[in-house]
Amino acid sequence: MNALVHGALYGVVIVLCLLTTVAFGVWFERKFAGRMQSRLGPTRVGPYGLLQSFADIIKLLQKEDIIPADADGSLFTLAPVLAALCALGAAAVVPFSPTVIASDLDIGVVWVLAVGGLMVIPTFAAGWSSNNKFALLGGMRAVAQSVSYGVPLVLAVLVPVILSGTMRISGIVAWQTSHHWVAVWPVIPGLPAFGLYMLAMLAESNRIPFDIPEAESELVAGVTTEYTGAKFSLFYLSEYVHTLVGSAVASALFLGGWDGPFAPGLHWMALKTLTLFALVYWVRWSLLRFRSDQLMDLCWRRLTPLGVALVLASAAWVQFAPGAH
Amino acid sequence: MGYFTDTLRAMRTTLRNVFRPPTTVEFPDVVRPRAERFRASFALIDDENGESACVGCLTCEKICPSQVIKVKASPKRESPVTGKKRAYADDFVLDLSACIQCELCVQVCNNDAIVMVREPEQPAFNREDLVLGMEKLRANGRGKTVAWGRGTGLQEMQESKPKVEKPAKPKPAPVEAAKVETPAEPAKVEAAPAEPAKVESAPAAAPAEAAPEKSDCSAAEEAP
Amino acid sequence: MHPEWISAFTFLAVSALVGGGLLAAAKVLRVRARAKPSELKLRTYECGEEASGNAWIQFHARYYVVALFFVLFDVEAVFLFPWAVAGRSLGLAGFVAVTSFIVVLMLGWLYAMRKDSLRWL
Amino acid sequence: MTSVAFGVVAALTLLTALLVVRVTNLVRATLWLGASLLSTAGIYAMLGASFLAGAQVMLYVGGVVTLMIFGVMTTRRHEGLAAEAESTNTGRATAVSLALFVLLAWAIHGTPGLDVPATNGVGASPEALGRALLVDHVLAFEAASVLLLAAILGAAVIARRRDPGVEVPKPGSRAASMPHAAAEAP
Amino acid sequence: MQSARRGGIDPHLSITHYDPEADLMLLHFGPQHPSTHGVFRMDLHLDGEVVIKATPYLGYLHRGVEKLCEKLTYVQQTPVVDKNDYVSPMTNEQALNMAFEKLMGIEVPRRARWLRLLLAEMQRISSHLLWLGTFTLDLGGALGGGSTVFLHCFREREMVLDLFEDITGARFHYNTHTIGGNRHDLPAGFAAKARAALDGIEARIGEYEDLSVHHAIFVARTRGVGVLDGDLALELGITGPVLRASGVDHDLRRDAPFHAYDEVPVKVSVERGGDCLARAKVRFAELRESIRLCRAALDGMPEGPICGFKPIRQPTQSKATSGQVYVGIETPRGELGTFLVANPDAPTTPYRLKIRAPSLHALSALPYILPGATVSDAVAILGSLDPIMGEVDR
């Protein structure tokens, strides 16, 4: 019963925090991208346009809900809800501080990979149920892409697990607190593994240069082509949440999570997460997009062997490096 | 590795742009300066007597490629102000919704009566608002910043030899209403200072070489 | 059931509320142009043209192969997780066992590479 | 409390499994299979097999269901939501499944040592699992790698075979571009 | 099947030849699609994501300009053809008025010819900038680096449009050319402002290159994509940067000089690749060359009248009763031709006006170079041809 209350309480708090962060994150991204492009970004709603995201949400909720006549209606409606569920659900095991954690599962890392990886199902369901060629192509691309990049993602995540010897995310952070951040030391599996994770995370959350599934210049809007209003906003939201949670996991696994001097752990975790989040958007607005086959080639021919090599390297480190234990 | 370094370079470029001042402005609050020759909506100019300078010669109606000008010319009558006899346009309607802002009507107006306005036209809620009648056009001429181009000015610019760096802005010369006395027939409108700009024959191999079947338009060219 | 799992499932339930709640809110807030949208509005989008045939068509087999490779490498990863946790206590024997496991798998990867099967197009 | 939860999850598993075989559209059936596998993972989690539950979701729901989706999408056309393969042998199928169920239930019931209560994850921790894999069953572990290798080789061979029906043309020069015009010129 | 077996593509064969089971997906790509550059439609037959056959459909933007011009007097036509190639209206006006001048045998004063050269090259800068922006938009999406390049290009294009606005008062549909010369002379202080703008644009080209042609992703997306053979390009009548990217050294500015190009020689850039990357490189080189030409034009601008004829005051004075002429000039997209037949019955209007639009010819390559490409490549290929539907459909 205690666990139930704990889960519900922390669930509500963490989910609300994530959603608020996403709302302001979107504002920040638009402002940042605007300045990159010699524009002003949002300026009208609230001071400096800060409330722009909330206005957008209200606007989207008011929009007419359209389910195409040829679509598979129930699946069409269910898919966005599932997408939001998968994106948010991965945050259950992320430790924001030694105490702020909804569920300190002993297989936390696997939970993140499994729940986050489930995103493919709603994405495909959305693409297929729309009965639209662009949506279907987008859905198939999305599934192929997330499935492929799941492999380097898992391999990258294995590195901190091997180094720390636990799958509990709070355990990994604690190990980094007492040893080194994974991305810092040992440099060789650590730093490349961090990079690999970020790349795979970009691909899993469909961000440029890997935004093949919703490549709007080719596939109009990918899986969300037929979506309007609230359902579209759910997809939009889940993408951002996916990126945010991915950044949080990255800072927990590779950057020492709450570890840092002078300030409370929560602040450090927030700082690292938001920095990575901003980095994702900086990359996003600077790069062009890969083609789907190049994406696959990159994954299978380059990143997968790199990941395997990193896993072997960290195994060797644990085995042979003096003082690794 | 190429991807990596190139990505860093691209990110450096975008970051550099973050610290540049943005190009866009918050429009209704800040308005970018408009060019002196900016052409947007239209106005009918009053002459020095407070009457419309338009004499209803129909030249603009004839030249308009999209046929948005409708002028109702009236026969000559005595001006209530000066007492002289002159021609008037009883009505002048310009449908802005189909106008292509080509400036030809301004160019052909020998009285400098119709000019363009530098303030961009305001969007309208219905089509009727975009149909400018005599009243609106004359109000524009009094209330709004009038553009630089006038018929006589444009004609002078094309025919004389202005210096490059000299202000090409022609003086908005006061209209001599008396000068144009017989406006009813547009074909008979006299070209004002009628100086046939002699073609400077360039030695260049201009592609506009004379076609073998040269028409009699050269006669028309020398006509004035 | 382990209490952490109970918390985790509760968290999932809370996140499900977000999607459901938004859709419910939209039901209240949204504008209805008409009781029944026109037929044109409900038509499938295909760049303004009449959609030619159904979208549910046969896809190329390479998609299948990608999923196959994914499952295989995922199985490998899943085998590695327990070792990753227990690895340091198993000593050199465990290291050798896992290294040979990975090497054997990478032989397969190498073969697929050489046969050009990992190309998407 | 626990048994109520178990009852709910088990019922969910059964219901979704039933839908898998009763739904007439293959894609929907696959998605229902995913739901069924998910609730199975829930049962694992309840039994304290944390890692097994996670692996189930990662491998089966994330991987195998995807594989099946792709299998369905790449094999044949699906005309709308209409029935794909309405079986006429419902009666016989029910009989066979019932018989199978009885057989399995009897076999499980007869196996000694299965009535141990759920361990709450004591014996099924990932550490213990790793130790079991790499110490007690190391041969099986290595054999698994060979099995996976064989599967990869198989996949590689499938991938290499091109669809014979459609030959992907190579964008090329003019010479290759207009053979038809050249051929039909008198 | 026969020709497909031989490894070639025949855009004219029916789809059943490629796919006897008709298992391909027919995708209507356009007219309402974000990257068909207006309202262009191609029907793509897809095997998975690979295009097997592409059929372009034109005419969604047909406005009957040529027919309309038969009803308008000569001077009235300039503002109408402005809207054909709406990305470089200046060159539209020039091609049309040069045809009129040739038909009526009118000499253009030297200053007007230099002015036209300056305007044409400034127009080429703005047109190529817009091309770069939309092309990266096709490659990188409206929600990514593509839109960054796009907006940067628009920022610099604004500088050119500001200059045009200073001269003509309009930003887009200028109506500044007329029979025998130009209507607007350069305003005071124009040269200094123009030089400042050109310097600004030149300084930023390096930034575009960092985000596009010098970036590995851009190269990966464009190299070897949409390869167009030089012979095929010639056979299809393709001109301009697309032809030069296919290794054919052809530029009307140098080969048949008009305006003042005989006095300001042009360095023509040629690439051999024939792919999207080569087209991009050619346009980048032309961008730099145009900036040089603009500077040269500003330096060498002669004094004198800007119009050798005064047709506008009395539109009925510009007339031709017989003869037919063809004038082709090099626009940012290739050879824009105007074919004109005088009307003996109505001397103030043409009997027939035919506009040879370079974009139309570029688009005719699509059925040849699209098969074998993916949907993503199709977007890139279409973008690299730089079609403007206004002049294609007219």
Side-chain angles (χ1 to χ4, degrees), chain C residues 65-87:
Chain C
V65 175
V66 164
L68 205 55
F69 273 110
F70 165 70
V71 170
L72 295 171
F73 278 90
D74 229 23
V75 169
E76 174 200 353
V78 164
F79 271 116
L80 290 183
F81 268 110
W83 161 76
V85 175

Side-chain angles (χ1 to χ4, degrees), chain D residues 50-145:
Chain D
S50 292
F51 183 70
L52 189 57
Q56 164 91 0
V57 176
M58 222 164 97
L59 275 186
Y60 281 88
V61 190
V64 173
V65 168
T66 313
L67 187 69
M68 295 182 75
I69 285 175
F70 278 164
V72 169
M73 295 306 289
T74 52
T75 41
R76 51 178 299 195
R77 278 172 173 268
H78 313 281
E79 292 301 338
L81 300 167
E84 289 282 317
E86 190 61 69
S87 172
T88 49
N89 298 329
T90 320
R92 266 179 281 175
T94 315
V96 169
S97 359
L98 270 179
L100 192 65
F101 175 74
V102 169
L103 186 73
L104 281 176
W106 175 74
I108 290 169
H109 197 70
T111 311
L114 278 182
D115 48 355
V116 195
T119 54
N120 240 0
V122 177
S125 72
E127 291 89 345
L129 202 61
R131 186 165 287 278
L133 265 182
L134 287 165
V135 178
D136 305 339
H137 304 289
V138 69
L139 194 66
F141 181 70
E142 296 298 333
S145 79

Side-chain angles (χ1 to χ4, degrees), chain A residues 33-291:
Chain A
R35 295 307 300 267
M36 278 184 201
Q37 303 178 342
S38 286
R39 293 185 288 119
L40 291 166
T43 54
R44 305 272 178 203
V45 191
Y48 304 104
L50 265 169
L51 302 178
Q52 183 68 45
S53 304
F54 299 97
D56 284 345
I57 277 285
I58 292 169
K59 177 201 73 175
L60 281 167
L61 288 185
Q62 285 182 330
K63 288 209 164 189
E64 190 176 359
D65 184 42
I66 289 178
I67 300 176
D70 290 341
D72 182 344
S74 49
L75 211 53
F76 188 80
T77 311
L78 194 62
V81 180
L82 284 181
L85 171 66
C86 293
L88 284 166
V93 294
V94 178
F96 292 93
S97 86
T99 47
V100 182
I101 171 167
S103 159
D104 197 11
L105 273 185
D106 54 349
I107 55 142
V109 167
V110 179
W111 171 277
V112 168
L113 292 173
V115 176
L118 273 189
M119 268 298 259
V120 297
I121 302 286
T123 313
F124 171 77
W128 181 80
S129 66
S130 299
N131 194 4
N132 175 309
K133 286 164 193 166
F134 294 108
L136 188 70
L137 276 176
M140 293 296 274
R141 279 182 179 190
V143 176
Q145 174 182 331
S146 351
V147 147
S148 301
Y149 276 82
V151 172
L153 190 72
V154 171
L155 292 173
V157 164
L158 264 169
V159 169
V161 173
I162 292 170
L163 289 178
S164 63
T166 174
M167 280 193 270
R168 196 187 291 272
I169 299 187
S170 62
I172 295 177
V173 179
W175 181 84
Q176 294 180 78
T177 316
S178 58
H179 292 74
H180 292 280
W181 294 3
V182 171
V184 173
W185 190 257
V187 180
I188 268 310
L191 194 59
F194 174 55
L196 188 64
Y197 176 89
M198 288 306 287
L199 267 186
M201 193 267 279
L202 276 180
E204 290 265 314
S205 52
N206 301 335
R207 286 293 181 233
I208 275 191
F210 305 116
D211 74 330
I212 313 293
E214 54 170 82
E216 66 287 310
S217 60
E218 302 149 23
L219 298 182
V220 187
V223 291
T224 54
T225 302
E226 295 285 2
Y227 279 90
T228 59
K231 292 172 191 162
F232 174 78
S233 72
L234 275 177
F235 273 114
Y236 192 72
L237 195 73
S238 56
E239 252 181 23
Y240 277 87
V241 170
H242 201 280
T243 316
L244 184 62
V245 173
S247 308
V249 171
S251 33
L253 292 185
F254 295 97
L255 298 181
W258 63 69
D259 183 32
F262 311 128
L266 201 58
H267 293 194
W268 277 107
M269 183 68 182
L271 179 72
K272 290 168 187 173
T273 306
L274 293 179
T275 309
L276 291 182
F277 193 61
L279 184 74
V280 167
Y281 291 107
W282 185 8
V283 170
R284 180 186 184 187
W285 293 97
S286 302
L287 295 190
L288 302 179
R289 171 193 306 131
F290 278 111
R291 202 172 57 211

Side-chain angles (χ1 to χ4, degrees), chain D residues 77 167 169 173-174 176-177 180, chain E residues 5 8-10 23 229 235 372:
Chain D
R77 278 172 173 268
E167 191 157 317
S173 65
R174 189 192 153 277
S177 301
H180 145 88
Chain E
R5 280 251 177 273
I9 315 147
D10 186 350
D23 236 10
D229 195 86
E235 188 158 324

Side-chain angles (χ1 to χ4, degrees), chain E residues 70-207:
Chain E
E70 290 170 17
K71 295 287 162 212
L72 293 175
T73 58
Y74 287 111
V75 282
Q76 288 177 319
Q77 292 170 20
T78 311
V80 174
V81 296
D82 251 350
K83 281 88 183 162
N84 280 352
D85 180 354
Y86 42 73
V87 173
S88 57
M90 286 286 187
T91 49
N92 289 339
E93 299 178 1
Q94 289 172 356
L96 185 80
N97 282 303
M98 283 166 68
F100 294 159
E101 287 150 11
K102 191 170 175 183
L103 184 71
M104 300 171 195
I106 295 164
E107 289 261 341
V108 183
R110 182 152 176 266
R111 182 178 172 83
R113 286 191 285 111
W114 277 75
L115 202 55
R116 285 181 178 184
L117 182 144
L118 175 68
L119 293 176
E121 290 305 326
M122 274 162 56
Q123 187 71 77
R124 194 179 313 275
I125 294 171
S126 82
S127 172
H128 280 355
L129 282 175
L130 190 132
W131 163 81
L132 176 66
T134 51
F135 185 53
T136 49
L137 208 56
D138 290 343
L139 291 181
L143 297 174
S147 70
T148 306
V149 184
F150 179 74
L151 285 163
H152 287 181
C153 287
F154 263 62
R155 178 183 62 195
E156 267 73 78
R157 182 172 169 270
E158 281 298 289
M159 296 182 184
V160 179
L161 294 193
D162 280 345
L163 295 178
F164 284 152
E165 192 182 342
D166 282 346
I167 301 174
T168 68
R171 300 183 74 78
F172 226 55
H173 299 310
Y174 311 104
N175 187 27
T176 188
H177 295 80
T178 189
I179 306 171
N182 283 32
R183 287 180 51 229
H184 301 98
D185 205 346
L186 299 180
F190 177 81
K193 196 177 171 190
R195 281 204 184 85
L198 291 172
D199 290 345
I201 295 170
E202 193 171 39
R204 299 269 169 85
I205 292 180
E207 288 189 8

Side-chain angles (χ1 to χ4, degrees), chain B residues 6 9 17 20 32 37-39 62-63 102-103 107 155 157-159 162 164 191 202 204 217, chain E residues 76 113 152 155 162 165-169 174-175 183-185 207 210 214 216 262 303 310 313 319:
Chain B
D6 286 355
R9 213 174 49 218
N17 277 290
R20 286 189 182 137
R32 290 181 65 196
R37 301 181 177 186
F38 187 81
R39 54 196 212 218
K62 294 240 162 74
I63 193 86
C102 67
E103 212 189 27
Q107 160 116 34
Q155 288 161 15
M157 174 191 263
Q158 287 154 27
E159 286 159 15
V164 192
C217 68
Chain E
Q76 288 177 319
R113 286 191 285 111
H152 287 181
R155 178 183 62 195
D162 280 345
E165 192 182 342
D166 282 346
I167 301 174
T168 68
Y174 311 104
N175 187 27
R183 287 180 51 229
H184 301 98
D185 205 346
E207 288 189 8
D210 280 351
H214 286 173
D262 45 355
E303 297 287 318
K310 27 181 224 316
R313 196 94 47 84
K319 51 190 167 189

